[in-house]
Amino acid sequence: MNTYINYIKEIEERKGEGLNPKPIDGSELLSEIISQIKDLANVHREESLNFFIYNVLPGTTSAAGVKAKFLKEIILGESVVKEISPAFAFESLSHMKGGPSVEVLLDIALGNDATIAQEAAKVLKTQVFLYEADTNRLKEAYRIGSGIAKNIIESYAKAEFFTKLPDVDEEIKIVTFIAGVGDISTDLLSPGGDAHSRSDRELHGKCLFEHNKDQQDKLLALQKEHPDKRVMLIAEKGTMGVGSSRMSGVNNVALWTGIEASPYVPFINIAPIIAGTNGISPIFLTTVGVTGGIGIDLKNWVKKLDKNGKTVLNKDGEAVLEEAYSVATGTVLTINTKTKKLYNGDKELIDISSSLTPQKTEFIKAAGSYAIVFGKKLQAFAAKTLGTDLIPVFAPSKEVTHEGQGLTAVEKIFNNNAVGTTPGAVLHAGSDVRVEVNIVGSQDTTGLMTSQELESMASTVISPIVDGAYQSGCHTASVWDNKAQANIPRLMKFMNDYGLITARDPKGKYHAMTDVIHKVLNDITVDDWSIIIGGDSHTRMSKGVAFGADSGTVALALATGEASMPIPESVKVTFKGEMNEYMDFRDVVHATQSQMLKNFDENIFQGRIIEVHIGTLLADQAFTFTDWTAEMKAKASICISQDDTLIESLEISKGRIQIMIDKGMDNEKEVLQGLIDIADKRINEIKSGEKPALTPDANAKYYAEFEVDLDIISQPMIADPDVHNDDVSKRYTHDAIRALSFYEGKKTVDLGFVGSCMVHKGDLKIVSQMLRNIEKKQGTVKFNAPLIVAAPTYNIIDELKKEGDWEMLQKYSGFEFDDNDPKSKARTEYKNMMYLERPGCNLCMGNQEKAEKGDTVMATSTRLFQGRVVADSDRKKGESLLASTPVVVLAAILGRTPTMKEYEAAVHGINLTKFTPPTKKLCS
């Protein structure tokens, strides 16, 4: 009874927070509950029944296994519970989504009692989450003549699990709710500071709108006023869901505005409707599809034109927007899924075909994309087993082929990894493709959700076709508090058992690694033809093509080794000219965005692949560009490298993977050694000329081509959140790229941050070199603002120690991390000194460490969203300006933005990150 009593105590505690009982996922607790159900005189029997029926997580949780076993006893008559008939037991099993429930249903269907076997078969025909162990049982039973097995497999071959579902409603009545003006970061929907609660869906739901109770109440009032309509959350004059994939963000929106997934599974809602004037961020839109929701590009603000058809500009030279139609909060609209249009009454507002493609409509019908992915695999299994042709049931994948047209780099990779396409077809952008995935990454603040998704889809082991997968510990590196201590070891054990290489060893044999996930994934990507899926928007490798994804898509990639998406269009980026001696490559990255925005009327990168012809930069340095493409709103990016550069990058990767092996991080399947073998094979292919480094075809077609002029980058370039812009929609967008001289050396800087995935070893050496130079000139180094330094990986620290740079950093640090005694509380105040923090995300993540409220931060990171790195205070708005390492270091030393003269003097003779464009075109 101890477990149950503890559960009751927890329920009482949650009541005080306005929360319901936490869903049950443990076998010990549910076993006690079942004992109390069997004991007719037990005082807890009635509430135990409710817990058993309505409050158990499905899939492969240990509780689901216990529940399925007890339901089987009831069906077989071994246990009698008057409140749970055998028919109701079958219904309960049908909501448990695979794993133990499918095993039980197969036991009964393939058993000797013909009557209940037929009932089990009926339920099995509705299930899609079957794995090899399940299908092998059916296949073997069919082989030896089982009529039931034949009947089930024939149903699967017809995809009756899908065809018998209700059609999507022709009309969906909605009422609008403006969640914010301008780009809406997923932090608004699921704040980083609440990352610890994401797996507790009801608790996490309370953080919607960053805990803004007034805004939450307005949403509830709107729902009460329109009980017959669905609420559509809108980013007015902006893009919805920028900055992160955040399955938790979609989950929160669904919890507040969606549809209940099952009456027997609490706090899991589906089918949210989300919109933005400029649509939905690409990776966030994928997450919406996971839940069977709808994401709409409203285009309700358009550029104002003069009588000659030219764009009207304001005093700052920016396009003036005018409202095409209103979506003000409380506006009643209609989505018509047949005409694929949005209406206000009888008035057609806009075509929304892109939101209701045949594939997306299937996701809506099946209550999510997982069911479609698994359904297709199940149908294919059935057809193969029966020896019949595949019956066309699902919307055919769109195959776009242009005769005589070459392939971009991403088109080549997708064609190479494609599954189930027309034999011999050469596919171009716009084609819907199912592809095999090579590398998968799970990060720690979304990992618990990924583990829940794996349990819910009844998956217990990583797909054998995945080359390698990694579970990081970087987002919880800064502060090892009670929340992290409760969540992270549990996550690491689950993922380690599942088959991932984990940052922490559940057995405690190797040192806990808090390395930034993107850096690790960049190292373990050992083939430039790879496809990488990672649970973070900055999964953008400088080898292969990488896609940031929600925790569910990561789970799907782990379970199936596959991902499905259209081949994106590409924008080709090349370079001309020469970098000034005092410039850093980070300035080139920012200037690329700035020059692009000046050259085009639109952000040509948004939703597309940036194919960047860097050529001569090693993977570590090139990652600075690919990483930033998330802020450019690109779908992903691909670095085109020269052969010798790629070989050197792969050799570096091999060395770092070997270090992981030497530390004891490899598993029984020797995944890490397998990656070294793949790297060796790829290096040999390049050296022999058998398969040179990936390049596009000379006659490939791009959405646009853009050449960056290095000659005109004469000053450090800073991304400014522009917090005081009169147009709210222009704030926090990453698009205000300003030259250093804009600040005239007068802007106060309260804190500097060198760290996150945007820095590499060279950046930490720059810090050391600047300290040496200033010490030599002034005798010592005095900081007028705090400087936080967080190396992205332990490897970098080890290398800096060998080369003498770490000693210089230690000399001027007032704090150095101690792995034997990690911080248990987030720092809230800073002194004017340098802090050497543990490797990891640190301030960039916003879930643990933050700058003091109202600070002006100068950082090397990627995030300038409101409240992410620094929150507002009563005295002033917090702002995070993003710049190169030398600018950040100098700003912290001065306590203000430097002048150009001060900057040039400070970096004189320092080896900044340099880039020389390739001397020849990189194409086939």
Side-chain angles (χ1 to χ4, degrees):
M1 282 290 288
N2 286 342
T3 308
Y4 186 77
I5 295 303
N6 290 337
Y7 185 54
I8 295 301
K9 286 179 181 176
E10 182 192 69
I11 289 172
E12 289 304 311
E13 290 169 4
R14 287 173 71 88
K15 276 183 184 177
E17 300 175 52
L19 296 168
N20 289 288
K22 199 172 183 179
I24 298 165
D25 61 2
S27 58
E28 187 177 349
L29 173 58
L30 195 62
S31 295
E32 280 191 27
I33 285 171
I34 290 171
S35 296
Q36 290 169 179
I37 292 171
K38 290 179 176 180
D39 178 4
L40 299 180
N42 194 285
V43 293
H44 300 294
R45 186 175 184 278
E46 186 175 346
E47 63 186 15
S48 293
L49 269 167
N50 281 328
F51 289 145
F52 178 82
I53 295 169
Y54 300 107
N55 209 44
V56 178
L57 288 179
T60 55
T61 64
S62 59
V66 172
K67 181 172 181 175
K69 183 181 176 184
F70 186 47
L71 291 172
K72 180 181 179 183
E73 289 177 12
I74 292 171
I75 291 167
L76 296 178
E78 296 168 1
S79 291
V80 177
V81 179
K82 65 177 181 179
E83 295 88 350
I84 303 175
S85 66
F88 185 63
F90 274 125
E91 183 183 350
S92 295
L93 286 167
S94 75
H95 286 260
M96 289 180 65
K97 296 180 72 174
S101 61
V102 165
E103 183 181 355
V104 162
L105 288 166
L106 284 169
D107 288 346
I108 298 169
L110 302 178
N112 297 321
D113 189 320
T115 303
I116 60 172
Q118 289 292 347
E119 292 303 311
K122 282 181 189 176
V123 178
L124 276 169
K125 290 175 187 178
T126 67
Q127 304 297 295
V128 293
F129 292 104
L130 275 71
Y131 288 85
E132 197 169 293
D134 306 314
T135 53
N136 281 347
R137 286 186 69 185
L138 278 172
K139 188 176 179 180
E140 178 60 19
Y142 169 72
R143 188 186 67 79
I144 61 176
S146 166
I148 286 276
K150 181 173 184 286
N151 184 249
I152 294 168
I153 294 172
E154 286 175 341
S155 175
Y156 288 158
K158 297 173 189 172
E160 290 180 339
F161 48 76
F162 176 73
T163 59
K164 290 191 174 183
L165 292 173
D167 289 333
V168 176
D169 292 338
E170 181 173 345
E171 288 191 344
I172 302 172
K173 293 287 184 183
I174 57 175
V175 59
T176 63
F177 185 86
I178 303 297
V181 178
D183 287 355
I184 289 183
S185 160
T186 47
D187 265 0
L188 182 76
L189 311 176
S190 169
D194 290 87
H196 65 278
S197 66
R198 287 176 184 163
S199 58
D200 185 346
R201 293 200 184 197
E202 186 192 15
L203 172 59
H204 194 68
K206 289 183 172 293
C207 73
L208 184 72
F209 306 140
E210 294 182 319
H211 297 274
N212 187 324
K213 193 74 169 59
D214 181 57
Q215 199 172 8
Q216 291 175 358
D217 287 343
K218 287 177 181 176
L219 176 57
L220 292 173
L222 185 70
Q223 289 175 318
K224 189 174 181 180
E225 187 181 345
H226 298 274
D228 58 331
K229 301 175 186 70
R230 308 268 298 281
V231 174
M232 178 168 74
L233 244 58
I234 297 172
E236 176 79 316
K237 297 176 78 174
T239 304
M240 175 66 83
V242 299
S244 223
S245 48
R246 293 279 168 91
M247 186 80 196
S248 53
V250 171
N251 285 345
N252 275 353
V253 176
L255 189 64
W256 285 78
T257 68
I259 298 168
E260 187 179 59
S262 165
Y264 309 116
V265 184
F267 313 120
I268 297 180
N269 285 8
I270 58 172
I273 301 175
I274 304 175
T277 292
N278 300 324
I280 318 292
S281 177
I283 53 175
F284 199 60
L285 186 57
T286 301
T287 318
V288 174
V290 167
T291 64
I294 303 173
I296 298 176
D297 187 357
L298 292 169
K299 298 185 177 70
N300 60 310
W301 286 87
V302 297
K303 292 174 182 175
K304 186 176 182 179
L305 304 177
D306 62 20
K307 60 183 179 182
N308 298 317
K310 291 187 176 181
T311 302
V312 177
L313 304 178
N314 63 17
K315 58 182 175 61
D316 297 320
E318 296 174 335
V320 174
L321 301 178
E322 58 183 358
E323 194 174 43
Y325 61 92
S326 174
V327 290
T329 295
T331 305
V332 175
L333 303 173
T334 303
I335 294 171
N336 189 300
T337 61
K338 291 288 191 292
T339 64
K340 301 184 190 303
K341 290 176 180 175
L342 184 65
Y343 295 89
N344 187 331
D346 294 329
K347 183 182 179 183
E348 179 187 321
L349 299 179
I350 191 170
D351 185 287
I352 53 172
S353 298
S354 61
S355 303
L356 296 166
T357 63
Q359 287 75 23
K360 289 178 182 177
T361 303
E362 285 180 340
F363 297 165
I364 298 168
K365 178 175 178 175
S369 57
Y370 296 167
I372 297 298
V373 173
F374 277 84
K376 287 179 177 179
K377 289 172 75 77
L378 192 56
Q379 189 194 22
F381 148 77
K384 184 177 179 181
T385 302
L386 295 172
T388 59
D389 292 334
L390 203 62
I391 300 169
V393 170
F394 299 100
S397 293
K398 184 179 178 183
E399 296 190 353
V400 178
T401 301
H402 302 292
E403 193 72 31
Q405 180 178 305
L407 298 173
T408 64
V410 74
E411 288 169 342
K412 284 190 174 184
I413 293 175
F414 269 60
N415 275 275
N416 186 65
N417 284 41
V419 178
T421 55
T422 302
V426 177
L427 305 179
H428 289 92
S431 300
D432 292 313
V433 184
R434 209 169 97 233
V435 289
E436 291 187 351
V437 174
N438 305 93
I439 302 291
V440 184
S442 169
Q443 56 102 325
D444 36 329
T445 53
T446 59
L448 282 171
M449 294 174 61
T450 299
S451 66
Q452 282 186 334
E453 297 289 346
L454 289 168
E455 286 178 327
S456 73
M457 62 177 74
S459 179
T460 57
V461 66
I462 191 170
S463 168
I465 67 173
V466 174
D467 292 332
Y470 180 73
Q471 171 62 59
S472 82
C474 55
H475 288 66
T476 52
S478 303
V479 184
W480 192 235
D481 57 15
N482 290 334
K483 295 166 185 173
Q485 290 174 42
N487 289 333
I488 303 306
R490 181 161 52 99
L491 169 65
M492 294 295 168
K493 184 180 187 314
F494 179 96
M495 290 301 191
N496 200 280
D497 291 345
Y498 191 81
L500 281 73
I501 304 299
T502 52
R504 290 178 180 272
D505 183 2
K507 298 172 184 174
K509 291 182 179 178
Y510 58 78
H511 182 279
M513 307 297 287
T514 57
D515 294 356
V516 174
I517 181 171
H518 320 304
K519 293 296 190 182
V520 178
L521 292 182
N522 208 39
D523 286 339
I524 69 172
T525 299
V526 288
D527 189 339
D528 48 326
W529 289 76
S530 292
I531 292 178
I532 305 99
I533 297 290
D536 194 289
S537 57
H538 287 95
T539 306
R540 290 157 186 270
M541 305 303 101
S542 51
K543 292 169 289 203
V545 62
F547 298 94
D550 60 274
S551 54
T553 301
V554 171
L556 199 62
L558 288 170
T560 66
E562 294 182 5
S564 299
M565 67 184 86
I567 302 177
E569 294 178 300
S570 294
V571 175
K572 182 179 179 180
V573 174
T574 55
F575 303 86
K576 68 177 181 179
E578 187 176 344
M579 279 182 71
N580 281 302
E581 189 63 28
Y582 53 85
M583 302 307 295
D584 185 82
F585 183 62
R586 175 74 184 249
D587 301 313
V588 174
V589 173
H590 286 183
T592 299
Q593 190 164 355
S594 177
Q595 290 185 25
M596 178 275 294
L597 291 169
K598 287 178 182 176
N599 278 270
F600 295 88
D601 282 341
E602 61 171 339
N603 179 358
I604 59 170
F605 294 152
Q606 184 162 347
R608 300 185 177 94
I609 301 290
I610 299 178
E611 184 186 284
V612 56
H613 290 232
I614 284 182
T616 60
L617 267 186
L618 293 173
D620 276 4
Q621 291 91 327
F623 185 79
T624 305
F625 190 103
T626 56
D627 202 30
W628 184 257
T629 60
E631 274 51 68
M632 295 172 176
K633 298 183 183 177
K635 176 79 172 175
S637 59
I638 295 181
C639 283
I640 307 301
S641 293
Q642 296 177 166
D643 286 354
D644 55 345
T645 305
L646 179 58
I647 289 171
E648 190 175 349
S649 292
L650 292 175
E651 291 288 2
I652 291 170
S653 283
K654 282 174 55 184
R656 290 177 179 167
I657 295 169
Q658 187 60 54
I659 289 170
M660 295 170 75
I661 294 173
D662 294 342
K663 287 179 177 176
M665 296 179 73
D666 212 352
N667 57 18
E668 290 179 3
K669 294 185 178 179
E670 296 189 331
V671 166
L672 293 176
Q673 182 57 53
L675 292 172
I676 289 179
D677 296 341
I678 293 170
D680 282 332
K681 178 176 180 289
R682 186 70 189 105
I683 289 168
N684 290 333
E685 288 174 341
I686 299 168
K687 284 182 175 178
S688 68
E690 176 189 346
K691 190 177 181 183
L694 171 69
T695 55
D697 290 331
N699 60 337
K701 186 176 180 181
Y702 297 88
Y703 176 82
E705 298 188 32
F706 173 58
E707 188 173 52
V708 181
D709 189 348
L710 300 178
D711 289 331
I712 65 174
I713 309 171
S714 60
Q715 297 186 43
M717 306 297 287
I718 296 170
D720 193 318
D722 206 9
V723 299
H724 298 295
N725 194 312
D726 291 337
D727 185 344
V728 178
S729 70
K730 295 289 198 305
R731 300 176 189 173
Y732 308 105
T733 66
H734 291 90
D735 289 344
I737 309 290
R738 289 169 172 157
L740 181 64
S741 60
F742 174 87
Y743 304 97
E744 300 178 334
K746 297 177 182 178
K747 188 174 183 67
T748 298
V749 173
D750 300 301
L751 181 141
F753 172 49
V754 174
S756 87
C757 46
M758 286 293 281
V759 299
H760 53 86
K761 176 184 168 183
D763 288 280
L764 278 294
K765 291 184 79 69
I766 288 170
V767 179
S768 172
Q769 290 168 337
M770 290 184 75
L771 295 176
R772 280 195 179 91
N773 282 5
I774 294 169
E775 181 185 67
K776 187 175 181 181
K777 188 174 180 181
Q778 300 180 3
T780 188
V781 181
K782 182 177 180 294
F783 290 93
N784 283 292
L787 177 64
I788 314 299
V789 176
T793 66
Y794 281 89
N795 283 349
I796 286 174
I797 293 176
D798 291 341
E799 291 167 21
L800 292 172
K801 286 178 178 177
K802 288 178 184 176
E803 296 164 19
D805 294 284
W806 191 254
E807 186 180 353
M808 192 65 192
L809 297 178
Q810 286 176 311
K811 182 176 180 178
Y812 284 104
S813 69
F815 169 87
E816 183 177 356
F817 73 92
D818 181 357
D819 281 335
N820 295 317
D821 185 24
K823 291 202 304 281
S824 59
K825 287 185 179 180
R827 188 177 280 112
T828 56
E829 295 180 352
Y830 299 83
K831 296 178 181 178
N832 290 346
M833 65 186 195
M834 184 164 65
Y835 296 78
L836 293 182
E837 294 286 0
R838 200 179 197 182
C841 301
N842 203 273
L843 285 167
C844 187
M845 179 56 197
N847 67 316
Q848 293 189 321
E849 301 280 69
K850 278 188 186 291
E852 290 186 44
K853 289 182 178 180
D855 272 1
T856 292
V857 178
M858 187 73 77
T860 60
S861 66
T862 57
R863 296 310 200 202
L864 50 66
F865 302 120
Q866 186 173 21
R868 181 64 174 254
V869 171
V870 55
D872 296 341
S873 72
D874 294 335
R875 61 185 174 88
K876 68 184 283 287
K877 285 182 175 292
E879 51 185 337
S880 177
L881 284 73
L882 309 180
S884 67
T885 293
V887 170
V888 173
V889 174
L890 189 53
I893 290 170
L894 297 172
R896 59 172 171 79
T897 53
T899 63
M900 269 305 295
K901 186 177 179 181
E902 289 169 327
Y903 171 79
E904 287 186 59
V907 300
H908 181 72
I910 290 179
N911 184 27
L912 301 177
T913 307
K914 287 290 181 286
F915 165 61
T916 302
T919 55
K920 63 177 183 178
K921 290 185 176 180
L922 300 175
C923 59
S924 304

